[in-house]
Amino acid sequence: MARSYPLEAIDLDFFDTAPITYRIDVNLPVSPRRAWAELTRQNTLDWCRAIKSIEFTSPPPYGVGTTRKASLGPGFAGLSEHFFVWDTDETTGNYRNAFHAVTASTPGLRRFGELTEIRPADVGCRLIWLFALELATSAKAVTAFSGPTASTVFKTVETDTVRHFATLAPQT
């Protein structure tokens, strides 16, 4: 069993104040509801080369307090995640969730979180995906989360996500 390193919790302000952030901001050719369903299903992000697996460890329906495990691509890290925001408004087509990593299998992270927002767009929807982190040390083990390696990984996630949603039939 891999060693697990505890991380500090975050709040929404961390996405504005974190020392390291990444932002994916794209339009997707599907309805907000369809995008949300894809991003919140069991085994989501299976279309991303940089992600080995995502598994919800809480039963549906998902909401604040939901937990999940993520295994990132070869040699990166495993995370246990706790959702502290989960807002859905099917009437307006606005969806949002955020989690912080409780533990990571890679040492050197102090805090890590993701904020996902989906909004209606003129065509389809807009996905805004924020990643925020703070390193505990300058350990080489955390290069997967910062610097050129991380930029490449996040760009791959963006490219794979846009490609995946382009293959889905537009739905209302």
Side-chain angles (χ1 to χ4, degrees):
M1 185 151 118
R3 181 159 181 200
S4 190
Y5 300 89
L7 277 67
E8 295 175 16
I10 64 169
D11 59 20
L12 281 175
D13 291 339
F14 187 65
F15 294 98
D16 295 322
T17 62
I20 302 169
T21 59
Y22 297 93
R23 179 184 178 100
I24 294 173
D25 188 340
V26 294
N27 285 344
L28 302 174
V30 297
S31 70
R33 189 174 87 167
R34 178 72 190 270
W36 184 250
E38 279 293 295
L39 289 166
T40 59
R41 66 172 166 78
Q42 188 67 275
N43 302 311
T44 187
L45 304 179
D46 53 350
W47 58 84
C48 291
R49 291 170 281 168
I51 297 170
K52 186 175 176 186
S53 67
I54 303 272
E55 177 188 355
F56 282 95
T57 53
S58 297
Y62 305 132
V64 171
T66 291
T67 57
R68 198 170 73 170
K69 288 183 182 177
S71 279
L72 308 181
F76 290 144
L79 302 171
S80 63
E81 306 164 346
H82 178 267
F83 285 86
F84 63 94
V85 172
W86 197 287
D87 302 323
T88 62
D89 188 337
E90 289 191 22
T91 304
T92 64
N94 289 293
Y95 301 86
R96 177 176 77 153
N97 67 23
F99 71 78
H100 67 86
V102 177
T103 63
S105 64
T106 304
L109 280 176
R110 178 171 285 134
R111 298 186 285 176
F112 177 84
E114 273 183 39
L115 172 63
T116 304
E117 294 183 1
I118 296 173
R119 306 176 184 158
D122 290 341
V123 175
C125 67
R126 182 175 173 198
L127 167 64
I128 301 168
W129 207 350
L130 304 174
F131 305 84
L133 62 126
E134 179 181 3
L135 303 177
T137 67
S138 60
K140 290 182 181 179
V142 297
T143 58
F145 293 101
S146 63
T149 300
S151 294
T152 300
V153 169
F154 286 113
K155 190 62 181 167
T156 299
V157 169
E158 178 178 341
T159 300
D160 290 351
T161 298
V162 169
R163 183 178 297 128
H164 171 72
F165 280 97
T167 66
L168 300 177
Q171 297 183 3
T172 56

